Amino acid sequence: MASRRVRAFKRWMRSQGLEYSDVLDFKDDPEQGISVIALGDLKEGDLVATIPKSACLTVKTSGASDIIESAGLGGSLGLAFALMYEKSLGEDSPWAGYLQLLPHQECVPCVWSLEEVDSLLSGTELHEIVKEDRGLIFEDWKQNILPLLDLNSANVKLNPDYFGVEHYFAAKSLVASRSFQIDDFHGSGMVPLADLFNHKTGAEDVHFTSVSSHCQSDSDADNDDHVVANSDDNEPSTEHPHGDGEEFSAPSNGKSPLGGSDLESSALEDVPTVLQMIMVKDVRAGAEVFNTYGLIGNAALLHRYGFTEPDNQFDIVNIDMELVLKWSSSLFSSRYIRARLSLWRKLGYSACQSQNSEYFELTSDGMPQIELLILLYIMLLTENVYHKLDLKLSTMESYDEALCIILSEKNNIQLGKGSEMSEEQLLTESVCNAISSLADMRESLYPSNSKEDDIELLRSCSIRDRKLYHSLSLRVSERKILEKLRTYAATHMLSIRNAKRGPTGKRLKRNGLQHSFL
């Protein structure tokens, strides 16, 4: 039997013209929250829900739309204010039946205490990012939300009990984890029902598309605007072609069922009025129906949505440029390092950038960026070879060609014009040792002694303790990548040493065996 809040939500959906397949069921678990279950078999192309855009909570549909527009609150800031405003109305909000289903806030790191952020995320990819986020969110509230409480007019009264900084953090956590880009008119918004489907990386069952309530040809449908899951920048598109299947009817009067103004003015006549949810693969009866938030690693999942996944193939670890320079400073002078770094940049190479920081990515299998290998290689060149490379830069047609010539000379191989350097050429013994040192330095940032310690802590931790569990999961996944990086360096080091022994060593072994049988 459905829980009371799910029953209330179903009544609310019916009142707003939001229709969904009777094959979908909503499981309400006290610990895990709500999930969507298939009561019967679902087939690829099945249309399982139609959601009027007027039922979505956006800066255009909210009762606070005039305030938002006059204050110039855009993007997620405006949507967070709209969410706070509707929550402040309680049962008087047209979205009350939907809002009662939402948690107060999502368990994302930006709403953790500073002590929890420092103790649980220290050393991880999220530690500094979350601390920066908290500062920016506070400044947003102070500069944009707080002044509005002093501008209450006769028409609109804002209850300060619902617009405090803690309420803004809570609203931001919901917007970041649950909002969808709807279209250019509405912007991003809270999409009832759509946000109940849980995420599974690389295992999407259902997807969203924006369609007109009027009849369309297949070619028209294929040209619909993208609907993007989660409105934050750099989020992956959730566009999917329309499938065949029964279409639900949409409200025909063009009026918002929430009592708002006519959103389908003459300027918007051709804008799609509903969102459709379409199956993109078969799902058997009894199975959960998943959406996907994109192909993203555990750091991004925890940052935006408050959870992690075991053995996530899209995990990454970053090696900051600052860490590389710290390693370099233990071996070389500042002048030496600046010259080598300058040559690396002159060759046209760069690291990944985020705000004021530079970093190199390690993939989930421990593979470093080629740019990092080239930087380490240049840092470790002898003075003679370094000056030779610097000189060649002024005579070569391309910088890559100059580096390729140096590599071919050092490795006693011939590279034709236009040849590209290989990873194997860059992985000298000294570069492999440098990689191992960087892995050790990166791992030293974590508070616990070893990966094994974290694995043991994770095994004994209950998933109910979400903050500890998922922060440990993130740390373990990152440390596994660093372990793979060490293995990568050690494997190449062994290959180099075996190559140095060459065929002579093999002959000695054979001769030894032969001698033993004489």
Side-chain angles (χ1 to χ4, degrees):
M1 183 178 177
S3 64
R4 175 181 293 181
R5 63 175 188 157
V6 168
R7 293 197 301 272
F9 178 59
K10 287 181 176 180
R11 290 193 298 270
W12 180 86
M13 285 194 290
R14 286 194 295 271
S15 73
Q16 309 308 320
L18 195 160
E19 303 186 41
Y20 63 94
S21 169
D22 57 8
V23 179
L24 298 182
D25 190 31
F26 308 105
K27 179 182 177 182
D28 192 357
D29 185 280
E31 299 296 335
Q32 300 299 318
I34 295 176
S35 55
V36 182
I37 306 298
L39 293 177
D41 292 344
L42 291 167
K43 300 297 182 182
E44 180 181 352
D46 284 353
L47 175 64
V48 293
T50 299
I51 306 169
K53 291 182 181 179
S54 53
C56 300
L57 174 53
T58 73
V59 295
K60 297 294 186 181
T61 59
S62 170
S65 59
D66 289 342
I67 302 175
I68 293 169
E69 184 175 354
S70 61
L73 305 182
S76 62
L77 172 61
L79 182 56
F81 182 83
L83 183 57
M84 288 190 291
Y85 177 80
E86 296 301 334
K87 280 190 166 188
S88 75
L89 300 180
E91 290 299 317
D92 291 332
S93 169
W95 284 273
Y98 164 61
L99 296 177
Q100 57 87 32
L101 200 65
L102 300 182
H104 170 64
Q105 63 186 25
E106 293 291 351
C107 191
V108 293
C110 76
V111 300
W112 300 0
S113 69
L114 187 57
E115 292 74 20
E116 289 171 328
V117 170
D118 284 334
S119 64
L120 297 177
L121 297 179
S122 180
T124 69
E125 293 300 313
L126 291 186
H127 188 207
E128 295 303 321
I129 292 174
V130 170
K131 290 169 76 172
E132 290 176 9
D133 283 349
R134 289 171 55 85
L136 292 172
I137 293 172
F138 176 79
E139 286 302 316
D140 268 351
W141 173 81
K142 183 178 178 181
Q143 294 177 14
N144 297 287
I145 306 298
L146 186 58
L148 295 179
L149 300 181
D150 298 325
L151 298 177
N152 283 333
S153 65
N155 296 326
V156 179
K157 293 288 186 182
L158 299 180
N159 185 340
D161 293 340
Y162 289 90
F163 293 89
V165 66
E166 70 279 3
H167 295 95
Y168 182 61
F169 269 83
K172 286 286 285 186
S173 74
L174 292 172
V175 167
S177 61
R178 290 174 174 265
S179 65
F180 294 80
Q181 182 68 22
I182 296 173
D183 57 30
D184 290 340
F185 175 72
H186 291 88
S188 62
M190 310 298 288
V191 184
L193 178 61
D195 58 4
L196 297 186
F197 290 82
N198 290 321
H199 163 86
K200 193 171 186 180
T201 299
E204 180 185 36
D205 298 320
V206 68
H207 219 110
F208 305 89
T209 187
S210 179
V211 299
S212 173
S213 61
H214 306 294
C215 294
Q216 296 183 293
S217 67
D218 290 338
S219 60
D220 289 336
D222 289 338
N223 291 324
D224 280 329
D225 292 338
H226 295 186
V227 179
V228 182
N230 195 302
S231 61
D232 289 346
D233 291 339
N234 301 321
E235 287 297 324
S237 168
T238 61
E239 180 203 20
H240 193 277
H242 299 290
D244 298 328
E246 179 183 358
E247 291 201 14
F248 296 129
S249 60
S252 58
N253 59 6
K255 298 282 187 179
S256 168
L258 300 173
S261 62
D262 188 346
L263 296 176
E264 299 303 315
S265 64
S266 59
L268 297 174
E269 285 180 357
D270 296 328
V271 176
T273 60
V274 296
L275 303 174
Q276 285 186 342
M277 303 176 64
I278 299 170
M279 300 300 298
V280 295
K281 67 167 64 169
D282 295 350
V283 173
R284 291 185 176 276
E288 182 172 357
V289 184
F290 289 101
N291 182 21
T292 186
Y293 306 154
L295 305 178
I296 50 181
N298 279 336
L301 284 176
L302 182 55
H303 185 213
R304 300 171 191 166
Y305 309 109
F307 66 89
T308 58
E309 290 183 318
D311 302 316
N312 189 329
Q313 62 177 313
F314 299 99
D315 276 337
I316 59 169
V317 171
N318 294 334
I319 300 289
D320 289 343
M321 176 68 82
E322 184 179 342
L323 198 67
V324 176
L325 297 180
K326 184 178 180 181
W327 161 81
S328 303
S329 66
S330 67
L331 300 173
F332 310 112
S333 68
S334 297
R335 182 178 180 182
Y336 177 103
I337 294 169
R338 285 196 303 271
R340 301 302 174 104
L341 184 60
S342 175
L343 179 61
W344 178 74
R345 296 193 192 281
K346 195 186 297 184
L347 284 163
Y349 297 107
S350 61
C352 301
Q353 294 188 348
S354 175
Q355 295 180 346
N356 297 322
S357 65
E358 292 182 281
Y359 61 92
F360 302 94
E361 285 188 356
L362 308 176
T363 62
S364 61
D365 55 3
M367 292 288 290
Q369 277 186 245
I370 190 73
E371 289 82 0
L372 174 60
L373 298 181
I374 294 171
L375 177 57
L376 295 176
Y377 186 89
I378 291 174
M379 283 286 184
L380 294 163
L381 285 175
T382 63
E383 284 294 322
N384 180 52
V385 177
Y386 163 74
H387 288 299
K388 190 174 182 180
L389 176 58
D390 199 20
L391 181 62
K392 283 186 180 292
L393 286 179
S394 61
T395 60
M396 293 291 103
E397 294 180 6
S398 73
Y399 294 157
D400 278 349
E401 186 179 353
L403 185 55
C404 280
I405 289 175
I406 293 296
L407 286 169
S408 63
E409 290 176 354
K410 285 177 62 63
N411 291 280
N412 194 29
I413 60 174
Q414 294 297 317
L415 287 177
K417 188 173 182 179
S419 299
E420 295 183 358
M421 70 196 74
S422 71
E423 180 184 281
E424 299 298 325
Q425 292 171 281
L426 296 165
L427 288 167
T428 62
E429 280 193 66
S430 56
V431 169
C432 289
N433 284 328
I435 291 171
S436 296
S437 296
L438 288 172
D440 291 341
M441 292 174 70
R442 177 65 180 79
E443 183 146 16
S444 69
L445 301 177
Y446 299 116
S448 57
N449 293 328
S450 68
K451 172 174 66 71
E452 287 68 30
D453 292 339
D454 281 342
I455 290 175
E456 188 58 37
L457 284 171
L458 184 60
R459 283 175 181 160
S460 60
C461 179
S462 169
I463 197 169
R464 295 178 181 178
D465 190 351
R466 293 186 61 184
K467 297 176 184 178
L468 178 60
Y469 181 88
H470 291 296
S471 60
L472 279 171
S473 176
L474 173 62
R475 208 155 69 206
V476 166
S477 66
E478 290 185 356
R479 297 184 94 155
K480 284 181 177 179
I481 293 176
L482 292 173
E483 183 177 57
K484 291 174 183 177
L485 179 63
R486 290 192 194 89
T487 301
Y488 167 88
T491 300
H492 283 283
M493 178 75 81
L494 182 61
S495 297
I496 293 168
R497 290 174 178 171
N498 287 339
K500 283 184 175 180
R501 285 199 292 268
T504 303
K506 294 180 181 178
R507 283 198 300 271
L508 287 173
K509 284 186 178 181
R510 286 199 296 270
N511 291 338
L513 287 173
Q514 290 170 356
H515 180 74
S516 66
F517 285 100
L518 292 176

